[in-house]
Amino acid sequence: MIHDQKFLPFSLPDITEVEIQEVVETLRSGWVTTGPKARQFEQDFITFLGDETLEAIAVNSATSGLHLALEAVGVQAGDEVIVPTYTFTATAEVVRYLGAHPVFVDSDPNTYCIDPVLIEAAITTKTKAIIPVHFAGLSADMDAILSIAKQHKLKVIEDAAHAFPTKYKGDLIGTLQSDATVFSFYANKTMTTGEGGMLVSRDKALIKRAKVMRLHGISRDAFDRYQSKTPAWFYEVIEPGYKYNLPDICAAIGVQQLKRINEFQKKRELLAEAYHEALKDLPIILPFVANKEAGHQHAWHLYPIQLTAGAGISREDFIIQMSKFGIGCSVHFIPLHKHPVWRDMYHLQPEHFPVAEQLYAHEVSIPLFTKMTTEDQSRIINSLKKILSGDGAA
Ligand SMILES: Cc1ncc(COP(=O)(O)O)c(C=O)c1O
């Protein structure tokens, strides 16, 4: 580091005394695994989404939520599920958990989200579902995706790991007409429970199935056994299920984070706007801005920029220089077709994914988190400008 300043990480969770107190109370309550707090978190989540026809299931990660959703809509061995290549591996790995095959599709060059035209081209008689990802917190083109799904009778499971609270044409992600939506509360997400996720759907059969599979395929959960009149020791295993429940200790954090989520979104949006303004004349491509007048809202989980040829520095060197200024950056994403597992399993060639290839070569995510101060942001902007003007650290 060239300055004596504290290292500014890529991301930090925004935890206050309120969350800490809620966890302490939960620890003292005598009930630490999934129970009243998880139920409250699920109910509060639905209240936030503002649609009582929906149901929410708290899970221990978005990955487990995606797995449960795919399983519950009936994805089976040999089926195909369309996913973007420009995502995190969780989006595709859950498809393999079920013995089905992810089919990788390139992105739209402006939004970086999955390209609906390419979805249509990838559909075969084996296609069962589509998993759009709302990259960085910007909604994918859901009208087009839902219409393709309807036409071809496909299920749609939204990977909304980045997208809380994102709006598409005035409606919150989670309330659209897809089969299910899954959010992540991993440590670096727009709100956190440490690890955690939420599966949301208005399909009663899907919810029923996912609830059973969330806890070992047992017909009743531990809290129900504790509360109901049927003897607590009695349960029946009706499926070989999973262990995907969210403990109350984590749900306690979620209950409090949820109360602050609109404040978080506003803060993130202000930081993003300050970046747009400060960086607009530099040789970089700024992230796509959703049209607010059309009712779109960006959750701004990430602030992805692309360094153009005019920047005169490679992405790798830029990240090294930023770290010398004491600033952590990241890359979203290494496209899935470039990872050995997916590349080799499905013989994927870079030329089939020109947009993701171009993005990956030039993309850097600069820090964007709610605990960031104006001074922190100025430091990031100034360091970035110095580096691009050739005045970086030795
Ligand atoms: C697009 C996407 N989907 C799914 C996940 C998985 O989320 P989790 O860590 O909650 O399982 C992530 C995590 O970063 C992600 O970026």
Side-chain angles (χ1 to χ4, degrees), residues 59-66 84 86-94 131-136 159-162 182-189 194-198 301-302 332-333:
V59 283
N60 60 5
S61 71
T63 308
S64 47
L66 288 167
Y86 209 63
T87 184
F88 184 60
T89 194
T91 315
E93 81 195 31
V94 291
I131 312 183
V133 174
H134 306 301
F135 176 74
D159 179 340
H162 301 185
V182 181
F183 299 92
S184 172
F185 309 127
Y186 178 65
N188 68 4
K189 295 298 188 287
E195 297 280 356
M198 194 71 83
H301 163 51
L302 301 171
H332 296 88
F333 285 101

Side-chain angles (χ1 to χ4, degrees), residues 160-364:
H162 301 185
F164 191 62
T166 294
K167 283 186 188 166
Y168 177 76
K169 296 191 177 170
D171 293 322
L172 279 166
I173 290 298
T175 68
L176 308 185
Q177 294 305 314
S178 55
D179 296 276
T181 306
V182 181
F183 299 92
S184 172
F185 309 127
Y186 178 65
N188 68 4
K189 295 298 188 287
T190 52
M191 64 166 263
T192 188
T193 57
E195 297 280 356
M198 194 71 83
L199 163 55
V200 173
S201 175
R202 52 171 77 78
D203 178 337
K204 299 258 178 287
L206 185 156
I207 290 286
K208 193 173 171 210
R209 173 81 185 174
K211 271 188 182 164
V212 168
M213 296 306 278
R214 171 177 63 172
L215 199 72
H216 301 294
I218 291 175
S219 56
R220 39 194 309 221
D221 69 21
F223 192 60
D224 174 62
R225 285 163 61 193
Y226 176 77
Q227 274 193 323
S228 100
K229 291 201 176 77
T230 315
W233 59 264
F234 183 77
Y235 62 87
E236 279 180 312
V237 180
I238 53 176
E239 288 290 343
Y242 317 112
K243 184 68 165 66
Y244 283 168
N245 54 307
L246 185 75
D248 271 17
I249 298 171
C250 297
I253 310 172
V255 163
Q256 291 302 333
Q257 288 266 291
L258 185 58
K259 291 184 185 161
R260 303 172 61 209
I261 193 66
N262 280 331
E263 169 210 326
F264 288 163
Q265 192 279 334
K266 280 194 189 72
K267 178 90 198 278
R268 284 179 177 274
E269 189 166 275
L270 286 175
L271 289 165
E273 283 167 1
Y275 273 145
H276 305 330
E277 190 51 34
L279 307 180
K280 67 179 190 295
D281 296 324
L282 297 174
I284 55 184
I285 299 172
L286 299 181
F288 187 87
V289 177
N291 181 358
K292 281 205 227 173
E293 259 98 80
H296 294 296
Q297 176 171 287
H298 201 311
W300 290 112
H301 163 51
L302 301 171
Y303 194 85
I305 61 171
Q306 282 187 73
L307 300 171
T308 66
I313 185 166
S314 72
R315 188 264 312 280
E316 283 72 3
D317 286 344
F318 176 84
I319 293 175
I320 294 170
Q321 291 283 335
M322 285 293 271
S323 73
K324 286 186 177 165
F325 279 105
I327 296 162
C329 290
S330 192
V331 173
H332 296 88
F333 285 101
I334 304 169
L336 297 186
H337 70 266
K338 297 191 90 67
H339 288 287
V341 59
W342 305 120
R343 184 192 60 207
D344 299 346
M345 195 181 293
Y346 295 107
H347 312 292
L348 304 173
Q349 310 288 338
E351 54 271 26
H352 292 140
F353 307 98
V355 173
E357 282 286 317
Q358 151 78 19
L359 277 170
Y360 172 56
H362 304 287
E363 197 274 345
V364 188

